Amino acid sequence: MDRKLRVGIIGAGNISHSHLGGYKALPDKVELVAVCDIDEQKAQNYAKVNGFPRAYKDYNEMLAKEELDAVSVCTWNAAHAEAAIAALNAGCNVLCEKPMAMNASQALAMKEAAERNGKLLMIGFVRRFGNDADILRNFIQAGTMGDIYFAKATYLRRSGCPGGWFGDRRYSGGGPLIDLGVHVIDLCRYLAGCPQPVSVYGVTYDNLGDNRADNQKGWVSQNSLGIDFKYTVEDFATALIRFDNGMTLNVEASFNLNIKQDTGNIELFGTKAGARVDPQIEFFSDMNKMFVDIKPVGNTALDFNGLFNREIKHFVDCVRDGIPCISPAEDGVVLMRILDAIYQSAAEGREVRL
Ligand SMILES: NC(=O)c1ccc[n+]([C@@H]2O[C@H](COP(=O)([O-])OP(=O)(O)OC[C@H]3O[C@@H](n4cnc5c(N)ncnc54)[C@H](O)[C@@H]3O)[C@@H](O)[C@H]2O)c1
């Protein structure tokens, strides 16, 4: 494509600013055309401050009028599917924030809409674009770790529901599992070469609720449109996921947990070496009859600087130059199938086969 990509944003909230920054970093490739939010005032202010020529309240109107090439879907989770499908049907390529949707059937409908329209649907699994993911994937692909047969992913907050719709199942589809767990489950699966899930055993708890010592710092129960949000999601989720390559993944995610401090880590265990990601990448193995801990030289901690810019650049390059997408809709569907199965397993108290 030798002209600039005409880009729109649907959902002018917090994360849209990270998408905006990514698009603004590509002034020769991208033209920011329009923004849309159901909060019309918010959309108008956003357009004014960030240099969009036009703002809309209704994405159907925006899609009908603007002949966009691409949109970012940055709404709350409940609106991802409808917005993405409308954009794909209008001939746009779509970058949709994680989680892909509220559930796997919505996700599948989105993927089918992309295929039907011959457009790209990329999912914003931003951790795939991290410097740490790049480094670890290179080591894994070079065979340093052997076969990875177990992974452990934690994303635990002592008191950390982001507030508002994030705590209301009707808008989010779930709590820390769908919001935080999705990042680390996807990253482990990506690093391990995207094996397919075969079964899950999951448990969720809602013992603590939102009324804790700090009354959920930042929690808002009503948004600017007067929508009342109710805290109806799990506090904590844990699951064991089995994949078709024999790997199991143990995941833990919380918004509320009686833990000393927030913690997050990914650990992978292979036949030749194990690795942990946090605070720096480190490998564990044995060599010449001695156990060795090996730390790559330099900073290998996840660097948020430029993280979203790399994701957005990849999306733009995929659309403009047709390069293969490293975060495609099919992986979003797999993640939603895993999350659905964990919630089902938790509700039914048994293993769920996929
Ligand atoms: N990749 C990441 O690390 C990351 C981080 C934060 C949030 N997210 C994801 O980004 C999405 C948005 O999160 P946020 O923190 O920006 O939320 P937010 O509440 O700040 O923004 C969401 C916006 O979407 C708007 N909206 C809702 N329905 C709409 C519709 N039908 N049409 C147009 N606008 C609509 C809301 O009015 C709101 O302004 C969520 O899916 C979330 O999971 C991803």
Side-chain angles (χ1 to χ4, degrees):
M1 187 184 277
D2 47 10
R3 61 174 176 79
K4 290 186 186 179
L5 215 60
R6 290 172 58 80
V7 170
I9 291 181
I10 303 178
N14 289 327
I15 208 63
S16 72
H17 292 278
S18 300
H19 289 235
L20 180 64
Y23 291 124
K24 283 201 160 175
L26 303 168
D28 299 339
K29 295 182 173 177
V30 167
E31 179 189 355
L32 290 166
V33 174
V35 60
C36 163
D37 199 292
I38 44 171
D39 183 338
E40 195 168 12
Q41 194 57 50
K42 189 172 179 177
Q44 274 168 10
N45 291 345
Y46 193 96
K48 205 156 132 195
V49 171
N50 297 303
F52 285 79
R54 286 168 296 283
Y56 292 85
K57 184 181 174 188
D58 177 356
Y59 55 73
N60 287 312
E61 189 186 344
M62 177 175 90
L63 294 166
K65 287 190 177 160
E66 296 291 354
E67 295 190 354
L68 301 169
D69 299 304
V71 298
S72 277
V73 172
C74 299
T75 64
W76 48 57
N77 304 345
H80 285 186
E82 274 188 21
I85 291 170
L88 291 161
N89 286 342
C92 292
N93 299 278
V94 173
L95 169 56
C96 180
E97 261 304 336
K98 54 50 64 177
M100 182 170 178
M102 300 283 273
N103 52 51
S105 65
Q106 285 187 351
L108 205 55
M110 293 161 77
K111 178 173 166 278
E112 283 166 3
E115 287 162 359
R116 206 172 47 243
N117 291 290
K119 296 292 165 191
L120 172 67
L121 172 56
M122 172 170 150
I123 309 305
F125 290 129
V126 74
R127 292 292 305 265
R128 293 187 178 209
F129 298 89
N131 53 314
D132 54 353
D134 260 1
I135 295 167
L136 213 43
R137 211 165 132 89
N138 281 338
F139 274 105
I140 291 167
Q141 286 179 347
T144 309
M145 297 187 66
D147 293 330
I148 295 168
Y149 55 90
F150 180 57
K152 201 166 150 53
T154 50
Y155 204 147
L156 299 171
R157 292 181 180 163
R158 184 172 185 167
S159 172
C161 174
W165 66 264
F166 283 92
D168 191 323
R169 187 174 295 279
R170 295 169 302 171
Y171 296 87
S172 62
L177 177 67
I178 198 169
D179 185 45
L180 309 177
V182 67
H183 277 297
V184 287
I185 296 171
D186 179 69
L187 184 55
C188 287
R189 184 174 171 262
Y190 176 65
L191 291 171
C194 291
Q196 294 299 319
V198 292
S199 72
V200 308
Y201 188 86
V203 191
T204 60
Y205 295 93
D206 56 0
N207 292 327
L208 304 182
D210 62 325
N211 191 18
R212 306 197 69 218
D214 60 1
N215 203 20
Q216 282 288 332
K217 200 162 15 100
W219 169 259
V220 284
S221 60
Q222 205 178 54
N223 83 347
S224 53
L225 296 174
I227 302 175
D228 271 318
F229 296 115
K230 303 210 175 356
Y231 191 84
T232 48
V233 297
E234 78 275 5
D235 293 322
F236 170 76
T238 180
L240 190 66
I241 307 159
R242 278 200 316 122
F243 292 91
D244 64 355
N245 65 348
M247 181 178 90
T248 51
L249 165 60
N250 190 345
V251 61
E252 298 168 4
S254 71
F255 280 166
N256 283 295
L257 187 67
N258 286 323
I259 189 172
K260 186 172 169 73
Q261 61 189 33
D262 294 0
T263 129
N265 201 3
I266 286 180
E267 293 168 277
L268 302 168
F269 302 91
T271 49
K272 289 189 183 163
R276 58 179 293 147
V277 169
D278 196 62
Q280 298 276 337
I281 292 176
E282 193 169 3
F283 296 96
F284 312 104
S285 187
D286 67 279
M287 198 186 279
N288 195 29
K289 298 281 177 216
M290 285 195 78
F291 288 114
V292 290
D293 299 350
I294 303 165
K295 243 186 187 171
V297 174
N299 183 22
T300 58
L302 173 62
D303 187 355
F304 284 94
N305 197 11
L307 180 62
F308 277 90
N309 286 18
R310 283 196 289 281
E311 176 188 294
I312 300 293
K313 181 175 183 310
H314 181 69
F315 176 58
V316 169
D317 288 346
C318 288
V319 174
R320 285 179 60 99
D321 306 330
I323 64 166
C325 180
I326 68 159
S327 193
E330 64 188 78
D331 287 336
V333 173
V334 171
L335 249 288
M336 292 316 304
R337 288 177 56 230
I338 292 173
L339 298 180
D340 278 6
I342 295 173
Y343 282 126
Q344 185 189 344
S345 171
E348 297 177 3
R350 61 175 183 89
E351 182 190 44
V352 170
R353 296 199 148 266
L354 288 126

